[in-house]
Amino acid sequence: MSTFSDTHSHAATTAKGASGSGRPARRNLMLHAVLLVCAIGMALPFAWMLFSSFKPLGEIFMQPPKLLPQDWNEQGYRTALGGADFVRGFWNSTYIALTVTAVSLLTSAMAAYAFARIDFWGRRPLFMVFLATMMVPGQLTIIPLYIIMGWLGWVDTHAAIIVPPALFNAFGVFLLRQYIRGIPVELEEAAQIDGAGRVRRFVTIILPLLRTPLTALGIFTFLGQWNNFFFPLIFLNSSEKFTLPLLVNQFKGQYVSDWPALMAATTLLAAPMLLVFAFAQRQIVEGIALSGSKS
């Protein structure tokens, strides 16, 4: 009788465990289904842009709309690459974005280290003011910034869109400061006992430990500069100095727009950024997660 009771109890426990383990599986399946639908919804505009770049004008606005082109046509890419100086524009966007990213990473890391480790008078109020600038839209500061660039003679030069964002990145300083505050001070104290100065401790200890958040910040900065349209539109007048977003805008007229060429140009503009996200999404997530976990 006891053996039968033990067997029945074991069977009930096994069934309960199987039922309990089935709920998380169903929950995960539903969660993945929802995420899949959201991913398809977000990818659909990019797919529509890509396939529309191979459509003639009549197929783009046909009713009912069709995703895949019936008549594959690369004329949009020929117009985009031939109608505007895309090679020069690609070079302008690349070197501007790389220069701003490199300088911004260095200045942001130096400022973050100062706010996190150097105890100077007014450090906390100054940092609060520094963060408050993130709440001010760039459009509100464009007039005084334009006046300053005019005084310096930088209007219609790439310096006007390189120097300000490269030297001042409030988000980057905040992101790196949060991470530096989580690095043990004992590492620097040990190096200081060995005779290492402030600069050497920053270069040999802090910077190597900032590799993950620096990677994430570098990607964000590069993407922001690559897609920057407003500031080049304000400061650049010569077509040979235009960046890719300005060149893409030339295919959109007031009354008539070359939609196949516009879709092709937009695809060429977005392709490098999609590749960056595809290969660097893990570094982005790790950089934000680690920085956000620091006190």
Side-chain angles (χ1 to χ4, degrees):
M1 185 69 179
S2 176
T3 303
F4 175 77
S5 177
D6 293 342
T7 303
H8 179 73
S9 177
H10 177 71
T13 303
T14 304
K16 183 178 179 180
S19 175
S21 62
R23 290 197 199 97
R26 289 194 298 268
R27 189 181 304 116
N28 290 335
L29 182 61
M30 293 178 61
L31 178 61
H32 281 79
V34 172
L35 293 177
L36 179 61
V37 172
C38 294
I40 293 175
M42 289 185 291
L44 186 59
F46 294 98
W48 181 266
M49 174 187 68
L50 175 62
F51 290 122
S52 295
S53 65
F54 291 100
K55 295 178 181 179
L57 182 61
E59 290 189 24
I60 295 180
F61 297 100
M62 69 181 303
Q63 295 294 335
K66 294 184 179 180
L67 180 63
L68 296 178
Q70 298 177 349
D71 181 18
W72 291 80
N73 192 339
E74 69 280 0
Q75 183 59 39
Y77 287 93
R78 295 178 181 176
T79 304
L81 294 174
D85 195 353
F86 253 73
V87 176
R88 184 185 296 273
F90 188 89
W91 162 248
N92 291 339
S93 292
T94 301
Y95 101 84
I96 289 173
L98 289 177
T99 302
V100 172
T101 301
V103 179
S104 179
L105 290 180
L106 179 60
T107 56
S108 297
M110 294 170 61
Y113 179 75
F115 282 122
R117 286 288 195 262
I118 302 177
D119 188 12
F120 57 90
W121 181 85
R123 179 181 65 173
R124 186 175 295 275
L126 181 60
F127 183 67
M128 292 297 104
V129 173
F130 204 75
L131 287 183
T133 61
M134 296 174 60
M135 297 182 289
V136 180
Q139 290 80 358
L140 295 181
T141 62
I142 191 64
I143 294 178
L145 184 60
Y146 190 90
I147 294 175
I148 295 174
M149 294 299 106
W151 287 343
L152 296 174
W154 288 356
V155 175
D156 198 25
T157 67
H158 288 156
I161 56 179
I162 291 178
V163 175
L167 298 182
F168 188 84
N169 188 343
F171 171 75
V173 174
F174 170 74
L175 184 72
L176 298 179
R177 174 184 175 271
Q178 295 300 102
Y179 193 92
I180 293 175
R181 292 185 63 186
I183 298 176
V185 183
E186 291 76 12
L187 294 176
E188 289 191 73
E189 292 177 347
Q192 187 176 8
I193 293 175
D194 292 337
R198 180 76 71 179
V199 176
R200 184 178 178 184
R201 299 200 301 269
F202 172 73
V203 174
T204 60
I205 297 177
I206 301 299
L207 281 183
L209 295 176
L210 291 179
R211 181 176 59 183
T212 300
L214 281 175
T215 302
L217 178 60
I219 294 172
F220 287 143
T221 305
F222 186 86
L223 291 176
Q225 294 303 315
W226 182 270
N227 296 321
N228 191 7
F229 175 78
F230 180 70
F231 284 92
L233 179 66
I234 296 299
F235 291 111
L236 299 181
N237 301 320
S238 303
S239 59
E240 66 272 8
K241 299 176 182 177
F242 281 1
T243 57
L244 279 181
L246 293 181
L247 293 177
V248 170
N249 188 59
Q250 292 182 348
F251 294 103
K252 181 176 66 67
Q254 182 177 1
Y255 302 105
V256 179
S257 298
D258 191 345
W259 290 104
L262 181 60
M263 293 295 103
T266 306
T267 301
L268 294 174
L269 176 63
M273 298 302 96
L274 295 177
L275 293 176
V276 169
F277 266 118
F279 290 102
Q281 55 182 327
R282 185 171 65 88
Q283 286 80 357
I284 296 176
V285 174
E286 288 182 357
I288 296 300
L290 291 174
S291 299
S293 65
K294 305 303 175 182
S295 59

